[in-house]
Amino acid sequence: MTVTVQPVTATDAGWLAALHARCFPEDSWREASWRNLLRQPGVGGAVASVDGVPVGVVLWRRAAEEAEILTIGVVPTERRRGVGGRLLDHALSALPRVVAAVFLEVAADNEAARRFYTGRGFTRIGRRAGYYRRGRVSVDALLMRVDRDTG
């Protein structure tokens, strides 16, 4: 299995939306959202491919000395194989050294993702009630943060 990670641009919005829908069937973003986000200053993204097939995506936004992981997802068949870690590592390494803290939200009921982020040094700093919608059900988001060495 060969995993590669490459940057994406707004021109990739169509297939990124389709890939995101495979990662998050109940909460995916539309093509216009991808295009608009990737055109904004401070926003970057990357796709992970396994043997040339796109299987995961990450999108981040930087503002001053902080950044936020806007989304990170891996298709179900490739989860727990290191792809998410490669995407997160890529995003963190793409950020300038001046970025001291990185934030993200994760669904409170997504235990695997919570363990993944905790294992990568993220700590829980808050909660947003009813942040995610899954049909008629709302799920809280846990706010997480990791501090980076900027020295």
Side-chain angles (χ1 to χ4, degrees):
M1 172 173 104
T2 303
V3 179
T4 58
V5 179
Q6 297 180 306
V8 293
T9 67
T11 60
D12 300 313
W15 65 265
L16 287 171
L19 176 59
H20 197 253
R22 290 178 52 213
C23 298
F24 303 104
E26 297 177 347
D27 193 25
S28 59
W29 298 354
R30 295 182 178 174
E31 180 177 345
S33 297
W34 282 96
R35 186 175 299 105
N36 292 337
L37 281 165
L38 284 165
R39 288 182 176 157
Q40 293 178 14
V43 173
V47 64
S49 299
V50 172
D51 299 328
V53 178
V55 297
V57 64
V58 62
L59 189 70
W60 64 88
R61 176 175 32 214
R62 175 189 170 230
E65 291 89 31
E66 296 180 349
E68 177 184 14
I69 303 295
L70 299 172
T71 191
I72 183 170
V74 176
V75 298
T77 57
E78 297 298 326
R79 290 180 186 158
R80 303 177 79 63
R81 298 180 72 189
V83 175
R86 291 281 302 272
L87 285 166
L88 185 58
D89 290 346
H90 179 88
L92 295 175
S93 68
L95 294 168
R97 290 187 59 82
V98 68
V99 173
V102 179
F103 299 86
L104 59 80
E105 287 115 3
V106 63
D109 64 351
N110 189 340
E111 189 174 325
R114 288 189 352 248
R115 281 194 315 267
F116 170 72
Y117 295 126
T118 300
R120 295 290 185 142
F122 283 82
T123 57
R124 181 177 159 187
I125 60 168
R127 185 180 203 100
R128 289 188 183 163
Y131 184 78
Y132 295 103
R133 300 288 300 162
R134 298 209 180 108
R136 295 181 181 197
V137 176
S138 64
V139 177
D140 292 354
L142 302 180
L143 306 175
M144 301 188 83
R145 170 187 177 139
V146 67
D147 292 317
R148 296 173 11 126
D149 178 13
T150 59

